């Protein structure tokens, strides 16, 4: 048999999120920026526990473990006092480093009274959090600053019953792009044009999207929690970022943002992008809720996907926040 025609064996086992108590060390969206106002605090599931997101009175957001080290009260029912989050139970206060700086009755805070502070960043109207003490890589820098763009951030209304990497794997899945989303490449499948690094991949798509839209998109994927694309649709620049929030094992919540350059027809362009974005996610919806990735056989048309699945299988996993967020 011609070697190029031989089936490609898929990675034998891809650990699920939470398997052996570990999760992939990637960036994940945790909430929309609009969900946490200045001086407010909210709670969200993350990994196999719970975190709080609070915005100081100076306007900066922070993500930390949710449970007060004193007696375990959920800090999301507390409040923000200056640049600290205050527990509702006994009014212990935690600063932006996670350390307890004050108790309600004035006793000196115990030295070990600390929250787990997650690396976090706010971009494109979304708060992102990294699973780890120090990020292994950064979110991408797009060629336009946010000041130059009209951006619409969104949260898909329903979670999907699969791990985040399952949705992320659609980006290197050339067959999926063509068959499910009906993109006709105007060049050969770009397997040989994919640029890999330690944490992900990038490549350029040229083709015709549904409705006869001419696209030239540069797509990228880092880790297992998000992907982005920038480029032109019918000659007009636009961009999109899609993130896969890991609010609990075996599930993910889609957050995203689409963006265009500011101008008189920006709203019309954003509306077109909304339609494309919602249609694309809806096309994947039933698949994401029912798929079971398992050992199988891939063909030569899957070679980029196969390499990414190997990356997912071997991607660094950890859970340094385990004792704090459960």
């Amino acid at each position: 048999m011609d070697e190029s025609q031989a089936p490609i064996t898929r990675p034998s086992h891809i650990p699920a999120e939470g398997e052996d108590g570990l999760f992939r060390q990637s960036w994940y969206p945790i909430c929309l920026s609009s969900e946490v106002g200045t001086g407010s605090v909210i709670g969200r599931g993350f990994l196999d526990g719970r975190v709080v997101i609070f915005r100081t009175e100076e306007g900066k957001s922070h993500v930390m473990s949710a449970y007060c080290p004193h007696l375990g009260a959920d800090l999301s029912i507390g409040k923000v006092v200056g640049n600290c989050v205050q527990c509702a139970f006994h009014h212990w206060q935690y600063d932006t480093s996670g350390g307890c700086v004050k108790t309600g009755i004035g006793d000196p805070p115990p030295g070990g009274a600390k929250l787990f502070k997650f690396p976090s960043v706010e971009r494109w109207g979304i708060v992102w959090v990294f699973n780890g003490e120090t990020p292994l890589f950064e979110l991408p820098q797009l060629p336009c600053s946010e000041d130059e763009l009209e951006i619409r951030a969104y949260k898909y209304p329903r979670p999907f019953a699969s791990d985040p990497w399952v949705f992320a794997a659609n980006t290197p899945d050339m067959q999926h792009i063509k068959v499910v989303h009906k993109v006709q490449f105007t060049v050969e499948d770009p397997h040989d044009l994919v640029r890999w690094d330690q944490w992900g991949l990038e490549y350029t798509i040229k083709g015709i999207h549904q409705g006869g839209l001419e696209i030239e998109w540069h797509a990228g994927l880092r880790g297992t929690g998000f992907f982005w694309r920038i480029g032109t649709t019918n000659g007009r620049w636009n961009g999109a970022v899609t993130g896969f929030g890991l609010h609990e094992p075996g599930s993910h919540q889609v957050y995203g943002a689409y963006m265009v350059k500011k101008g008189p027809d920006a709203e019309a362009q954003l509306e077109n992008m909304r339609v494309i974005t919602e249609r694309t996610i809806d096309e994947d919806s039933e698949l994401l809720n029912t798929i079971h990735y398992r050992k199988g056989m891939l063909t030569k048309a899957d070679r980029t996907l196969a390499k990414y699945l190997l990356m997912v299988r071997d991607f660094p996993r950890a859970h340094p926040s385990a004792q704090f967020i459960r």
Side-chain angles (χ1 to χ4, degrees):
M1 177 185 292
D2 185 335
E3 184 177 345
S4 67
Q5 302 298 320
I8 298 174
T9 303
R10 194 171 147 192
S12 56
H13 174 66
I14 301 176
E17 297 297 355
E19 187 172 322
D20 302 322
L22 303 175
F23 297 82
R24 287 175 180 82
Q25 292 195 268
S26 193
W27 286 98
Y28 302 96
I30 193 70
C31 69
L32 297 176
S33 297
S34 59
E35 293 182 281
V36 53
T38 300
S40 67
V41 56
I42 62 173
R44 288 289 184 273
F46 185 51
L47 308 178
D48 57 355
R50 187 166 173 81
V51 300
V52 290
I53 307 95
F54 70 96
R55 191 180 301 279
T56 66
E57 293 180 359
E58 294 178 349
K60 183 172 174 56
S61 62
H62 301 270
V63 182
M64 300 191 188
S65 52
Y67 299 114
C68 180
H70 181 207
L71 292 175
D74 187 339
L75 295 171
S76 70
I77 65 170
K79 65 180 182 179
V80 173
V81 178
N83 291 321
C84 296
V85 60
Q86 177 176 284
C87 179
F89 203 3
H90 296 92
H91 291 192
W92 288 28
Q93 293 183 13
Y94 300 87
D95 66 13
T96 57
S97 72
C100 183
V101 295
K102 184 179 180 181
T103 64
I105 61 170
D107 287 348
K114 296 181 181 296
L115 306 176
F116 187 92
K117 179 177 174 60
F118 290 88
S120 64
V121 65
E122 202 161 355
R123 199 171 295 172
W124 313 299
I126 300 168
V127 180
W128 303 81
V129 58
F130 189 86
N131 172 31
E133 296 178 295
T134 303
L136 301 178
F137 53 92
E138 301 299 330
L139 292 171
Q141 292 291 336
L142 302 186
C144 300
S145 71
E146 294 193 26
D147 292 339
E148 301 174 78
L149 303 173
E150 294 288 352
I151 301 174
R152 296 291 180 272
Y154 66 89
K155 175 182 177 181
Y156 196 74
R158 299 176 299 280
F160 294 111
S162 51
D163 282 339
W165 66 264
V166 174
F167 203 160
N170 286 350
T171 296
D173 187 347
M174 309 295 180
Q175 291 196 59
H176 177 85
I177 293 170
K178 294 193 297 184
V179 173
V180 176
H181 301 308
K182 299 178 175 62
V183 173
Q184 302 174 32
F185 294 157
T186 54
V187 296
E188 291 187 12
D189 292 4
H191 297 290
D192 295 333
L193 301 179
V194 176
R195 298 193 299 275
W196 297 87
D197 62 30
Q198 184 178 5
W199 308 115
L201 61 98
E202 296 182 39
Y203 67 94
T204 297
I205 299 173
K206 294 183 180 180
I208 306 297
H209 211 318
Q210 296 180 43
L213 300 175
E214 295 183 7
I215 62 171
E216 185 171 344
W217 291 346
H218 185 76
L221 188 63
R222 288 290 180 281
T224 58
F226 72 96
F227 92 95
W228 78 96
R229 67 154 184 81
I230 55 173
T232 59
T233 302
N234 281 352
R236 303 299 299 271
W237 188 92
N238 57 69
V241 176
T242 307
F244 317 113
L246 183 47
H247 293 325
E248 61 180 334
S251 176
H252 71 271
Q253 179 77 54
V254 173
Y255 296 79
Y258 39 90
M259 57 204 77
V260 300
K261 292 182 179 178
K262 291 181 176 178
D265 63 345
E267 288 297 327
Q269 290 186 67
L270 286 170
E271 176 60 18
N272 289 336
M273 291 196 69
R274 182 192 66 78
V275 171
I276 293 172
T277 300
E278 292 183 359
R279 182 186 68 206
T280 300
I281 297 176
D282 288 343
E283 288 168 349
D284 285 327
S285 179
E286 190 172 1
L287 294 165
L288 294 168
N289 280 325
T290 58
I291 192 169
H292 286 192
Y293 258 89
R294 61 183 58 176
K295 184 177 181 180
M297 302 297 291
L298 304 180
T299 73
K300 67 174 185 176
D302 296 310
R303 60 185 184 273
T304 300
L305 172 61
K307 187 170 181 177
Y308 179 67
L309 292 178
L310 286 171
M311 176 178 285
V312 173
R313 185 193 67 182
D314 299 334
F315 209 79
R317 298 189 302 138
H319 197 353
S321 62
Q323 64 178 314
F324 296 88
I325 67 172
R326 295 170 177 166

